[in-house]
Amino acid sequence: MKPLLLSLSLFYVPVMCAYSQDNLVKYVNTRQGTNSKYEFSYGNTYPATSLPFGMNTWTPQTGKNGDGWKYQYFVHTIRGFQQSHQCSSWVNDYAVFSLMPESGELVVNEDTRAAAFTHEQEIAQPSYYKVSFDNGIKTEISPTERGAHFRFSYPKGSKAFIVLDGYTKMSSVKISPAEHKISGYVNNCRWAPKDFRNYFEIIFNKPFKSYGTWENRHNTVNANNQEAEGEGMGAYIEFAPGQVEAKVASSYISPEQASLTLAKELGGYKNFDATHQAADKVWNTLLGRMKVEGGTEEEKATFYSCMYHANLFSHQFFEYGKDGQPYYYSPYDGKIHNGYMYTDNGFWDTFRGQFPLNTIMHPTMEGRYAQALLDAQEQCGWLPSWSFPSETGGMLGNHAISLLTDAWVKGIRTFDPLQALRAYYHEATNKGPWGSANGRPGWKEYYEKGYVPFTKETLGATAWTLEFAYDDFCGYQLAKMNHQFYYEGVFARQMYNYRNLFDSTTRFMRAKDAEGNWITPFDPLDWGGPYTEGNAWHWTWSVFHDVQGLINLMGGDKPFVDKIDSVFSTPGTIKVGGYGQVIHEMTEMAAFKMGQYAQGNEPIHHLVYLYNYAGQPWKAQQHVRQIMKDMYNASENGYPGDEDEGQMSSWYVLSAAGFYSVCPGTDQYVLGSPLFPKMTITLENGKAFVIEAENNSPDNVYIQSATLNGQPWSHNWITHSAITKGGTLHLVMGPKPALQRGIATADRPFSLTAIK
């Protein structure tokens, strides 16, 4: 538009021995996409210092408490260093508190305590963040999964303070001078049970010279006070001048669990450098599992920065008890459960690329995730669609079924498929209490008429219909293997509902009223109304599961290809339509000057790969390379729109590998044009899949010929099992399209409808 160090080490054991570890974290810029604001997004990211899928991240804070834009590249003062979980600037953050070092006099006000810095004095890597302020203070951070290690360095001879800010809503602090410790909780959270708390414990390696509490509503300070509870309560401590280290961990379960986690995750590290070295090892191991060769240093920086972002969300929401077993506080029912739970992700964004990438790179985690979805459904009555950390109902569609089906089809079978089908059937035949993606708005009309009629109350109805039809295909896929009733009685019919909104005269997906009449006037350039964050040029292609069916509706291959070509040749004119004003997605589309193509938002992410379905795969190859080149980089301006919990990055990571997941819920990836001469994907099972692109260069973007494990390969797709079994996809690249390659019927990727 989102395990403990010990367990992580065990998790990566099969692949850690597969190659010598390279220093790849040097390529990652966690500030990629941070030059964003409300009006224009280059990513809406922040420099998260975190382990992969960690429960917490840590970030410098340039924005005010409660501001969704917590770090903006063009702001040159920092107010604190936050524990963060934010997956989108548009939904702000939760479970936040911050630490801020100061020298000289104590200042608690967040505006006046802000310290100036320059980006030249920053290092922003996933495993290490450092900034040297203009006032001489230096802050360093290195993460664990549920905590972090800080090192603060102060100017000689100056007083040295650390201010803990309780952020928004209620907080509690307790200062324990004898133990060099601060503990407490914050409960700032928009979507969670009333008893939600994030308990924290911070242990310093030096004694306190002085201390006290304060509150951030009026900035009142109570010197020598050891405990406080209320809105915005915080603490401050003073040390002898020099250097001080702090170990931090938190828990959603209890103060005791926070203490246990701190001991387990950080207790074994004698100093900051040891924690940093361990975090580097985790990230270098993961980044090295998609090892690239060739290409420019800039391309490597973009690739590994995107790979970092693709491995941040979802956040773990489980913790390890004294027995080493996972358990969690449920953000849905407020109770303690055994097992795994994950949060902070909007599936409308991420079902497309981020979760399919996980099925390749993290099948163990994906299996746990699938069961966690069903556990969440039991705890709140609905499948998650956008958890943060509880269900928000944000965006549209019922895409949990996409995640479940995609896992099942790819052999990740850790859950009961009948339980999944029952949960999805409930989702598809009811409307929940939260948002347009909680249950199904207009489900009765969709079932009876085959589409959701457009009214003033059903804004987005055409987009809903298209995504419901895809989700029903996923239900069909899962039911086909597991349950006859759901297969034949429900989803086999509904997955073709996209046909009901195709207008053959304009060759666009359009809105109808309840009587079946087309809504007029119609302009395909108009944003909003029946479309969500887009227009007809963007949404007409959302038939992931039956592209051949869409080709037939358009009149065949040539009209279909001509229509895709028109997306790029039609001027990038903005018509605000139902929005009534310019929104940032419109501005971003126009800025990149590719006509009506809008890579900055998800509905069109798969479009260029659709050329493969209509006999002109070389056009997909050309456009994919152009998009990677023109719209992505590793800088603060690194994305063409919201990064969206890893989806924007996953598109790039998969595309750089040479393929993309057009239709999750099938076992196929559709070929594009790999960015690097060679990429080696080391799998969890220890096997390796290699993509070789002979003669690859910025000019040689077209596939001339291909072999898979030494055998000729003319298909425009590759299966998931071909990747996970290991092997080599060898491509010969050239400067001109190979017009006779990949044009046979058998070379086209999967569609429900057979080719005529």
Side-chain angles (χ1 to χ4, degrees):
M1 220 216 14
K2 242 170 54 304
L4 299 166
L5 268 180
L6 175 61
S7 65
L8 255 177
S9 299
L10 290 172
F11 183 74
Y12 286 113
V13 161
V15 298
M16 284 177 67
C17 301
Y19 57 89
S20 58
Q21 190 173 69
D22 296 319
N23 179 22
L24 297 177
V25 294
K26 69 180 181 181
Y27 287 112
V28 178
N29 177 21
T30 64
R31 297 171 303 187
Q32 181 190 29
T34 58
N35 196 31
S36 298
K37 53 187 176 181
Y38 178 90
E39 298 83 4
F40 197 100
S41 173
Y42 283 110
N44 270 343
T45 59
Y46 54 94
T49 305
S50 170
L51 291 190
F53 310 108
M55 192 171 87
N56 308 317
T57 72
W58 290 86
T59 180
Q61 172 195 357
T62 64
K64 292 179 70 69
N65 285 350
D67 190 348
W69 283 263
K70 57 175 60 266
Y71 179 99
Q72 294 175 297
Y73 191 84
F74 52 84
V75 179
H76 297 289
T77 57
I78 289 174
R79 301 162 182 265
F81 300 92
Q82 291 183 348
Q83 180 182 266
S84 173
H85 309 85
Q86 182 169 293
C87 54
S88 169
S89 298
W90 307 104
V91 293
N92 301 103
D93 206 347
Y94 72 90
V96 181
F97 60 93
S98 67
L99 299 175
M100 183 63 183
E102 298 179 350
S103 62
E105 299 302 314
L106 174 69
V107 180
V108 294
N109 182 291
E110 66 166 312
D111 294 322
T112 52
R113 74 175 186 238
F117 75 105
T118 64
H119 293 299
E120 290 73 22
Q121 295 301 314
E122 275 186 306
I123 297 175
Q125 297 173 345
S127 47
Y128 178 66
Y129 176 84
K130 181 181 80 169
V131 62
S132 296
F133 291 112
D134 293 355
N135 62 18
I137 298 175
K138 181 171 66 176
T139 298
E140 299 167 275
I141 313 171
S142 194
T144 66
E145 286 187 329
R146 295 163 189 82
H149 203 148
F150 283 81
R151 183 163 61 192
F152 302 103
S153 302
Y154 298 86
K156 291 183 179 180
S158 178
K159 289 184 177 182
F161 293 97
I162 289 177
V163 175
L164 186 156
D165 193 324
Y167 202 61
T168 59
K169 298 184 71 173
M170 290 285 292
S171 59
S172 171
V173 291
K174 179 181 179 181
I175 303 170
S176 304
E179 301 173 79
H180 306 170
K181 182 172 75 175
I182 302 177
S183 56
Y185 73 81
V186 292
N187 80 336
N188 47 79
C189 192
R190 185 175 173 185
W191 290 284
K194 290 183 179 180
D195 64 351
F196 172 83
R197 289 183 177 184
N198 182 43
Y199 300 96
F200 60 83
E201 181 168 293
I202 310 170
I203 296 180
F204 300 87
N205 69 339
K206 282 189 174 182
F208 304 165
K209 283 190 66 178
S210 67
Y211 54 82
T213 62
W214 69 288
E215 52 78 34
N216 63 21
R217 300 301 187 269
H218 305 287
N219 300 307
T220 303
V221 174
N222 289 309
N224 303 316
N225 194 34
Q226 292 187 7
E227 294 187 45
E229 184 174 27
E231 290 194 3
M233 289 297 175
Y236 72 88
I237 48 178
E238 181 189 0
F239 301 93
Q243 191 175 85
V244 61
E245 295 188 10
K247 294 179 177 180
V248 189
S250 63
S251 168
Y252 301 121
I253 296 172
S254 68
E256 294 76 19
Q257 180 60 46
S259 181
L260 174 66
T261 296
L262 191 149
K264 285 193 171 184
E265 289 198 3
L266 287 149
Y269 300 128
K270 293 183 179 180
N271 54 39
F272 177 88
D273 292 330
T275 307
H276 178 196
Q277 184 179 14
D280 268 355
K281 186 175 183 179
V282 170
W283 272 109
N284 278 323
T285 297
L286 175 55
L287 298 173
R289 290 182 57 199
M290 297 188 81
K291 184 177 181 179
V292 302
E293 299 178 42
T296 65
E297 292 296 284
E298 290 79 9
E299 288 169 340
K300 290 177 182 177
T302 303
F303 176 78
Y304 285 117
S305 294
C306 284
M307 191 175 171
Y308 147 80
H309 275 121
N311 286 275
L312 287 179
F313 301 97
S314 300
H315 290 140
Q316 298 173 24
F317 209 79
F318 60 89
E319 304 167 48
Y320 289 103
K322 293 180 180 178
D323 59 359
Q325 296 301 306
Y327 74 133
Y328 60 92
Y329 165 90
S330 170
Y332 301 102
D333 66 10
K335 299 177 182 178
I336 305 297
H337 299 268
N338 294 322
Y340 299 93
M341 184 53 63
Y342 300 85
T343 61
D344 306 340
N345 204 303
F347 298 156
W348 179 77
D349 301 307
T350 54
F351 85 86
R352 306 162 194 269
Q354 201 256 354
F355 279 96
L357 178 61
N358 283 349
T359 65
I360 298 172
M361 300 299 293
H362 307 291
T364 298
M365 182 185 75
E366 199 70 1
R368 294 169 178 171
Y369 205 112
Q371 183 57 52
L373 290 174
L374 299 179
D375 292 341
Q377 196 273 344
E378 287 188 335
Q379 292 160 22
C380 83
W382 303 89
L383 284 168
S385 61
W386 188 311
S387 57
F388 190 61
S390 185
E391 180 51 34
T392 71
M395 296 310 292
L396 64 154
N398 310 120
H399 298 312
I401 191 62
S402 174
L403 276 57
L404 291 161
T405 302
D406 199 44
W408 190 270
V409 167
K410 293 173 178 175
I412 302 171
R413 300 183 173 181
T414 56
F415 60 95
D416 179 356
L418 298 185
Q419 182 185 2
L421 287 166
R422 285 193 296 269
Y424 177 61
Y425 184 71
H426 174 261
E427 203 82 13
T429 55
N430 290 278
K431 174 64 189 83
W434 316 292
S436 59
N438 180 225
R440 189 168 276 185
W443 70 267
K444 290 183 180 179
E445 293 84 354
Y446 174 82
Y447 182 80
E448 294 169 356
K449 300 176 183 295
Y451 64 94
V452 181
F454 175 65
T455 68
K456 292 181 179 180
E457 286 71 43
T458 58
L459 298 177
T462 298
W464 293 349
T465 299
L466 296 171
E467 303 234 344
F468 293 166
Y470 162 72
D471 289 334
D472 287 342
F473 161 76
C474 291
Y476 161 87
Q477 283 283 83
L478 190 58
K480 182 170 63 174
M481 295 177 281
N482 296 287
H483 200 283
Q484 196 73 10
F485 165 71
Y486 292 115
Y487 168 47
E488 292 185 343
V490 184
F491 305 128
R493 174 175 66 89
Q494 293 182 179
M495 63 186 177
Y496 291 106
N497 279 350
Y498 72 89
R499 296 171 176 170
N500 299 323
L501 292 185
F502 183 79
D503 175 16
S504 59
T505 59
T506 63
R507 292 187 295 129
F508 284 106
M509 294 291 177
R510 290 183 56 185
K512 286 181 177 178
D513 63 21
E515 285 70 45
N517 303 306
W518 296 116
I519 299 293
T520 58
F522 170 70
D523 186 337
L525 295 175
D526 280 343
W527 284 60
Y531 309 102
T532 301
E533 296 183 355
N535 62 28
W537 282 107
H538 309 142
W539 276 98
T540 292
W541 315 100
S542 291
V543 188
F544 317 101
H545 56 296
D546 196 16
V547 178
Q548 185 60 47
L550 183 59
I551 290 172
N552 294 347
L553 289 174
M554 287 196 179
D557 290 348
K558 186 180 186 306
F560 182 79
V561 168
D562 289 346
K563 192 74 168 181
I564 301 179
D565 291 345
S566 297
V567 173
F568 298 97
S569 62
T570 298
T573 304
I574 296 173
K575 292 191 176 181
V576 298
Y579 282 107
Q581 62 180 355
V582 173
I583 61 174
H584 73 96
E585 288 89 351
M586 302 172 187
T587 308
E588 292 147 15
M589 179 196 75
F592 286 94
K593 301 184 185 304
M594 290 183 71
Q596 288 294 312
Y597 185 77
Q599 177 70 15
N601 210 15
E602 280 69 21
I604 212 164
H605 272 192
H606 64 298
L607 172 67
V608 295
Y609 286 92
L610 299 188
Y611 284 113
N612 286 287
Y613 296 74
Q616 295 194 26
W618 53 88
K619 288 187 176 179
Q621 296 156 24
Q622 184 270 322
H623 280 300
V624 166
R625 291 290 285 270
Q626 180 187 3
I627 293 164
M628 285 193 284
K629 175 179 176 291
D630 293 346
M631 295 193 180
Y632 288 81
N633 59 68
S635 80
E636 64 276 10
N637 300 325
Y639 294 101
D642 285 355
E643 201 282 326
D644 286 332
E645 309 93 57
Q647 169 57 27
M648 196 70 69
S649 296
S650 295
W651 185 96
Y652 186 93
V653 169
L654 288 167
S655 295
F659 50 83
Y660 184 67
S661 47
V662 170
C663 186
T666 70
D667 66 345
Q668 290 185 358
Y669 303 92
V670 181
L671 294 185
S673 177
L675 179 62
F676 297 97
K678 185 177 181 180
M679 178 185 292
T680 302
I681 302 175
T682 304
L683 304 162
E684 244 183 40
N685 60 17
K687 297 180 180 180
F689 186 74
V690 181
I691 302 102
E692 297 174 340
E694 183 180 342
N695 301 325
N696 201 5
S697 73
D699 295 322
N700 294 351
V701 302
Y702 298 105
I703 299 173
Q704 307 297 300
S705 63
T707 60
L708 178 62
N709 300 328
Q711 299 300 311
W713 190 258
S714 62
H715 303 320
N716 299 315
W717 47 269
I718 188 169
T719 64
H720 182 81
S721 61
I723 295 172
T724 57
K725 287 176 182 176
T728 300
L729 176 65
H730 184 86
L731 309 173
V732 177
M733 311 300 290
K736 295 182 179 179
L739 301 181
Q740 299 306 310
R741 187 202 165 273
I743 60 174
T745 297
D747 296 329
R748 301 188 179 198
F750 167 86
S751 285
L752 274 173
T753 299
I755 299 172
K756 294 181 179 179

PDB file of all heavy atoms in Angstrom, residues 655-678:
ATOM      1  N   SER A 655      11.218 -10.708  -9.413  1.00  0.00           N
ATOM      2  CA  SER A 655      11.481 -10.317 -10.797  1.00  0.00           C
ATOM      3  C   SER A 655      12.969 -10.348 -11.107  1.00  0.00           C
ATOM      4  O   SER A 655      13.378 -10.731 -12.217  1.00  0.00           O
ATOM      5  CB  SER A 655      10.906  -8.925 -11.074  1.00  0.00           C
ATOM      6  OG  SER A 655       9.490  -8.932 -10.972  1.00  0.00           O
ATOM      7  N   ALA A 656      13.794  -9.949 -10.151  1.00  0.00           N
ATOM      8  CA  ALA A 656      15.241 -10.010 -10.355  1.00  0.00           C
ATOM      9  C   ALA A 656      15.716 -11.448 -10.509  1.00  0.00           C
ATOM     10  O   ALA A 656      16.708 -11.720 -11.200  1.00  0.00           O
ATOM     11  CB  ALA A 656      15.964  -9.339  -9.189  1.00  0.00           C
ATOM     12  N   ALA A 657      15.004 -12.382  -9.873  1.00  0.00           N
ATOM     13  CA  ALA A 657      15.325 -13.802 -10.030  1.00  0.00           C
ATOM     14  C   ALA A 657      14.880 -14.337 -11.382  1.00  0.00           C
ATOM     15  O   ALA A 657      15.356 -15.400 -11.811  1.00  0.00           O
ATOM     16  CB  ALA A 657      14.676 -14.614  -8.912  1.00  0.00           C
ATOM     17  N   GLY A 658      13.948 -13.644 -12.033  1.00  0.00           N
ATOM     18  CA  GLY A 658      13.521 -14.037 -13.364  1.00  0.00           C
ATOM     19  C   GLY A 658      12.119 -14.568 -13.467  1.00  0.00           C
ATOM     20  O   GLY A 658      11.729 -15.061 -14.531  1.00  0.00           O
ATOM     21  N   PHE A 659      11.316 -14.446 -12.403  1.00  0.00           N
ATOM     22  CA  PHE A 659       9.945 -14.962 -12.448  1.00  0.00           C
ATOM     23  C   PHE A 659       9.085 -14.239 -11.430  1.00  0.00           C
ATOM     24  O   PHE A 659       9.591 -13.541 -10.555  1.00  0.00           O
ATOM     25  CB  PHE A 659       9.913 -16.476 -12.207  1.00  0.00           C
ATOM     26  CG  PHE A 659      10.692 -16.929 -10.990  1.00  0.00           C
ATOM     27  CD1 PHE A 659      10.150 -16.879  -9.715  1.00  0.00           C
ATOM     28  CD2 PHE A 659      11.990 -17.415 -11.133  1.00  0.00           C
ATOM     29  CE1 PHE A 659      10.862 -17.294  -8.600  1.00  0.00           C
ATOM     30  CE2 PHE A 659      12.711 -17.836 -10.012  1.00  0.00           C
ATOM     31  CZ  PHE A 659      12.142 -17.778  -8.751  1.00  0.00           C
ATOM     32  N   TYR A 660       7.755 -14.434 -11.540  1.00  0.00           N
ATOM     33  CA  TYR A 660       6.828 -13.769 -10.633  1.00  0.00           C
ATOM     34  C   TYR A 660       5.587 -14.633 -10.432  1.00  0.00           C
ATOM     35  O   TYR A 660       5.188 -15.394 -11.314  1.00  0.00           O
ATOM     36  CB  TYR A 660       6.407 -12.395 -11.175  1.00  0.00           C
ATOM     37  CG  TYR A 660       5.526 -11.625 -10.223  1.00  0.00           C
ATOM     38  CD1 TYR A 660       6.019 -11.159  -9.013  1.00  0.00           C
ATOM     39  CD2 TYR A 660       4.188 -11.374 -10.537  1.00  0.00           C
ATOM     40  CE1 TYR A 660       5.205 -10.454  -8.132  1.00  0.00           C
ATOM     41  CE2 TYR A 660       3.373 -10.675  -9.665  1.00  0.00           C
ATOM     42  CZ  TYR A 660       3.887 -10.219  -8.461  1.00  0.00           C
ATOM     43  OH  TYR A 660       3.085  -9.539  -7.588  1.00  0.00           O
ATOM     44  N   SER A 661       4.975 -14.482  -9.268  1.00  0.00           N
ATOM     45  CA  SER A 661       3.803 -15.265  -8.861  1.00  0.00           C
ATOM     46  C   SER A 661       2.526 -14.573  -9.314  1.00  0.00           C
ATOM     47  O   SER A 661       1.866 -13.904  -8.520  1.00  0.00           O
ATOM     48  CB  SER A 661       3.807 -15.421  -7.341  1.00  0.00           C
ATOM     49  OG  SER A 661       4.060 -14.166  -6.715  1.00  0.00           O
ATOM     50  N   VAL A 662       2.161 -14.743 -10.585  1.00  0.00           N
ATOM     51  CA  VAL A 662       0.951 -14.103 -11.107  1.00  0.00           C
ATOM     52  C   VAL A 662      -0.292 -14.640 -10.408  1.00  0.00           C
ATOM     53  O   VAL A 662      -1.205 -13.876 -10.076  1.00  0.00           O
ATOM     54  CB  VAL A 662       0.842 -14.308 -12.628  1.00  0.00           C
ATOM     55  CG1 VAL A 662      -0.534 -13.873 -13.139  1.00  0.00           C
ATOM     56  CG2 VAL A 662       1.935 -13.522 -13.344  1.00  0.00           C
ATOM     57  N   CYS A 663      -0.340 -15.946 -10.167  1.00  0.00           N
ATOM     58  CA  CYS A 663      -1.542 -16.551  -9.574  1.00  0.00           C
ATOM     59  C   CYS A 663      -1.174 -17.427  -8.385  1.00  0.00           C
ATOM     60  O   CYS A 663      -1.055 -18.653  -8.524  1.00  0.00           O
ATOM     61  CB  CYS A 663      -2.308 -17.371 -10.612  1.00  0.00           C
ATOM     62  SG  CYS A 663      -3.884 -17.993  -9.986  1.00  0.00           S
ATOM     63  N   PRO A 664      -1.001 -16.844  -7.203  1.00  0.00           N
ATOM     64  CA  PRO A 664      -0.837 -17.671  -6.010  1.00  0.00           C
ATOM     65  C   PRO A 664      -2.042 -18.594  -5.847  1.00  0.00           C
ATOM     66  O   PRO A 664      -3.182 -18.209  -6.132  1.00  0.00           O
ATOM     67  CB  PRO A 664      -0.763 -16.638  -4.886  1.00  0.00           C
ATOM     68  CG  PRO A 664      -0.295 -15.384  -5.557  1.00  0.00           C
ATOM     69  CD  PRO A 664      -0.920 -15.403  -6.918  1.00  0.00           C
ATOM     70  N   GLY A 665      -1.776 -19.806  -5.400  1.00  0.00           N
ATOM     71  CA  GLY A 665      -2.819 -20.824  -5.368  1.00  0.00           C
ATOM     72  C   GLY A 665      -2.622 -21.840  -6.468  1.00  0.00           C
ATOM     73  O   GLY A 665      -3.350 -22.831  -6.553  1.00  0.00           O
ATOM     74  N   THR A 666      -1.637 -21.591  -7.325  1.00  0.00           N
ATOM     75  CA  THR A 666      -1.151 -22.572  -8.291  1.00  0.00           C
ATOM     76  C   THR A 666       0.330 -22.797  -7.996  1.00  0.00           C
ATOM     77  O   THR A 666       0.944 -22.050  -7.227  1.00  0.00           O
ATOM     78  CB  THR A 666      -1.308 -22.087  -9.741  1.00  0.00           C
ATOM     79  OG1 THR A 666      -0.383 -21.017 -10.000  1.00  0.00           O
ATOM     80  CG2 THR A 666      -2.723 -21.600  -9.995  1.00  0.00           C
ATOM     81  N   ASP A 667       0.910 -23.809  -8.648  1.00  0.00           N
ATOM     82  CA  ASP A 667       2.318 -24.109  -8.383  1.00  0.00           C
ATOM     83  C   ASP A 667       3.240 -23.479  -9.410  1.00  0.00           C
ATOM     84  O   ASP A 667       4.409 -23.849  -9.515  1.00  0.00           O
ATOM     85  CB  ASP A 667       2.540 -25.627  -8.352  1.00  0.00           C
ATOM     86  CG  ASP A 667       2.305 -26.272  -9.710  1.00  0.00           C
ATOM     87  OD1 ASP A 667       1.703 -25.617 -10.591  1.00  0.00           O
ATOM     88  OD2 ASP A 667       2.722 -27.432  -9.890  1.00  0.00           O
ATOM     89  N   GLN A 668       2.750 -22.487 -10.169  1.00  0.00           N
ATOM     90  CA  GLN A 668       3.549 -21.895 -11.234  1.00  0.00           C
ATOM     91  C   GLN A 668       4.001 -20.479 -10.914  1.00  0.00           C
ATOM     92  O   GLN A 668       3.284 -19.709 -10.267  1.00  0.00           O
ATOM     93  CB  GLN A 668       2.745 -21.860 -12.543  1.00  0.00           C
ATOM     94  CG  GLN A 668       2.512 -23.211 -13.178  1.00  0.00           C
ATOM     95  CD  GLN A 668       1.831 -23.076 -14.530  1.00  0.00           C
ATOM     96  OE1 GLN A 668       1.492 -21.971 -14.985  1.00  0.00           O
ATOM     97  NE2 GLN A 668       1.627 -24.205 -15.198  1.00  0.00           N
ATOM     98  N   TYR A 669       5.198 -20.167 -11.406  1.00  0.00           N
ATOM     99  CA  TYR A 669       5.705 -18.798 -11.472  1.00  0.00           C
ATOM    100  C   TYR A 669       5.910 -18.477 -12.950  1.00  0.00           C
ATOM    101  O   TYR A 669       6.358 -19.321 -13.724  1.00  0.00           O
ATOM    102  CB  TYR A 669       7.028 -18.658 -10.721  1.00  0.00           C
ATOM    103  CG  TYR A 669       6.935 -19.080  -9.265  1.00  0.00           C
ATOM    104  CD1 TYR A 669       7.222 -20.388  -8.886  1.00  0.00           C
ATOM    105  CD2 TYR A 669       6.555 -18.175  -8.279  1.00  0.00           C
ATOM    106  CE1 TYR A 669       7.138 -20.786  -7.558  1.00  0.00           C
ATOM    107  CE2 TYR A 669       6.469 -18.562  -6.948  1.00  0.00           C
ATOM    108  CZ  TYR A 669       6.757 -19.871  -6.591  1.00  0.00           C
ATOM    109  OH  TYR A 669       6.664 -20.264  -5.284  1.00  0.00           O
ATOM    110  N   VAL A 670       5.604 -17.258 -13.337  1.00  0.00           N
ATOM    111  CA  VAL A 670       5.663 -16.850 -14.737  1.00  0.00           C
ATOM    112  C   VAL A 670       6.998 -16.157 -15.006  1.00  0.00           C
ATOM    113  O   VAL A 670       7.443 -15.319 -14.217  1.00  0.00           O
ATOM    114  CB  VAL A 670       4.486 -15.923 -15.077  1.00  0.00           C
ATOM    115  CG1 VAL A 670       4.532 -15.510 -16.544  1.00  0.00           C
ATOM    116  CG2 VAL A 670       3.159 -16.630 -14.774  1.00  0.00           C
ATOM    117  N   LEU A 671       7.639 -16.522 -16.126  1.00  0.00           N
ATOM    118  CA  LEU A 671       8.975 -16.018 -16.411  1.00  0.00           C
ATOM    119  C   LEU A 671       8.966 -14.569 -16.874  1.00  0.00           C
ATOM    120  O   LEU A 671       8.048 -14.126 -17.560  1.00  0.00           O
ATOM    121  CB  LEU A 671       9.650 -16.884 -17.479  1.00  0.00           C
ATOM    122  CG  LEU A 671       9.981 -18.325 -17.104  1.00  0.00           C
ATOM    123  CD1 LEU A 671      10.763 -18.989 -18.231  1.00  0.00           C
ATOM    124  CD2 LEU A 671      10.747 -18.402 -15.798  1.00  0.00           C
ATOM    125  N   GLY A 672      10.038 -13.873 -16.497  1.00  0.00           N
ATOM    126  CA  GLY A 672      10.299 -12.528 -16.972  1.00  0.00           C
ATOM    127  C   GLY A 672      11.692 -12.462 -17.548  1.00  0.00           C
ATOM    128  O   GLY A 672      12.025 -13.213 -18.471  1.00  0.00           O
ATOM    129  N   SER A 673      12.540 -11.609 -16.988  1.00  0.00           N
ATOM    130  CA  SER A 673      13.921 -11.468 -17.444  1.00  0.00           C
ATOM    131  C   SER A 673      14.801 -11.231 -16.231  1.00  0.00           C
ATOM    132  O   SER A 673      14.705 -10.187 -15.581  1.00  0.00           O
ATOM    133  CB  SER A 673      14.042 -10.288 -18.414  1.00  0.00           C
ATOM    134  OG  SER A 673      15.383 -10.090 -18.813  1.00  0.00           O
ATOM    135  N   PRO A 674      15.660 -12.193 -15.867  1.00  0.00           N
ATOM    136  CA  PRO A 674      16.459 -12.045 -14.642  1.00  0.00           C
ATOM    137  C   PRO A 674      17.418 -10.866 -14.747  1.00  0.00           C
ATOM    138  O   PRO A 674      17.935 -10.544 -15.822  1.00  0.00           O
ATOM    139  CB  PRO A 674      17.209 -13.374 -14.544  1.00  0.00           C
ATOM    140  CG  PRO A 674      17.214 -13.925 -15.926  1.00  0.00           C
ATOM    141  CD  PRO A 674      15.939 -13.451 -16.561  1.00  0.00           C
ATOM    142  N   LEU A 675      17.678 -10.234 -13.621  1.00  0.00           N
ATOM    143  CA  LEU A 675      18.508  -9.032 -13.599  1.00  0.00           C
ATOM    144  C   LEU A 675      19.993  -9.353 -13.632  1.00  0.00           C
ATOM    145  O   LEU A 675      20.784  -8.623 -14.225  1.00  0.00           O
ATOM    146  CB  LEU A 675      18.170  -8.219 -12.349  1.00  0.00           C
ATOM    147  CG  LEU A 675      18.950  -6.924 -12.122  1.00  0.00           C
ATOM    148  CD1 LEU A 675      18.695  -5.943 -13.265  1.00  0.00           C
ATOM    149  CD2 LEU A 675      18.559  -6.292 -10.784  1.00  0.00           C
ATOM    150  N   PHE A 676      20.382 -10.457 -12.994  1.00  0.00           N
ATOM    151  CA  PHE A 676      21.793 -10.765 -12.818  1.00  0.00           C
ATOM    152  C   PHE A 676      22.218 -11.931 -13.707  1.00  0.00           C
ATOM    153  O   PHE A 676      21.403 -12.801 -14.031  1.00  0.00           O
ATOM    154  CB  PHE A 676      22.076 -11.105 -11.354  1.00  0.00           C
ATOM    155  CG  PHE A 676      21.809  -9.970 -10.406  1.00  0.00           C
ATOM    156  CD1 PHE A 676      20.599  -9.885  -9.722  1.00  0.00           C
ATOM    157  CD2 PHE A 676      22.752  -8.978 -10.212  1.00  0.00           C
ATOM    158  CE1 PHE A 676      20.345  -8.839  -8.855  1.00  0.00           C
ATOM    159  CE2 PHE A 676      22.507  -7.919  -9.348  1.00  0.00           C
ATOM    160  CZ  PHE A 676      21.298  -7.847  -8.672  1.00  0.00           C
ATOM    161  N   PRO A 677      23.481 -11.994 -14.076  1.00  0.00           N
ATOM    162  CA  PRO A 677      23.970 -13.143 -14.838  1.00  0.00           C
ATOM    163  C   PRO A 677      23.804 -14.472 -14.108  1.00  0.00           C
ATOM    164  O   PRO A 677      23.637 -15.510 -14.741  1.00  0.00           O
ATOM    165  CB  PRO A 677      25.451 -12.818 -15.064  1.00  0.00           C
ATOM    166  CG  PRO A 677      25.519 -11.325 -15.002  1.00  0.00           C
ATOM    167  CD  PRO A 677      24.500 -10.932 -13.974  1.00  0.00           C
ATOM    168  N   LYS A 678      23.814 -14.423 -12.763  1.00  0.00           N
ATOM    169  CA  LYS A 678      23.645 -15.669 -12.012  1.00  0.00           C
ATOM    170  C   LYS A 678      23.063 -15.370 -10.641  1.00  0.00           C
ATOM    171  O   LYS A 678      23.448 -14.400  -9.986  1.00  0.00           O
ATOM    172  CB  LYS A 678      24.987 -16.402 -11.855  1.00  0.00           C
ATOM    173  CG  LYS A 678      24.884 -17.759 -11.184  1.00  0.00           C
ATOM    174  CD  LYS A 678      26.245 -18.458 -11.137  1.00  0.00           C
ATOM    175  CE  LYS A 678      26.156 -19.836 -10.489  1.00  0.00           C
ATOM    176  NZ  LYS A 678      27.478 -20.506 -10.436  1.00  0.00           N
TER     177      LYS A 678
END
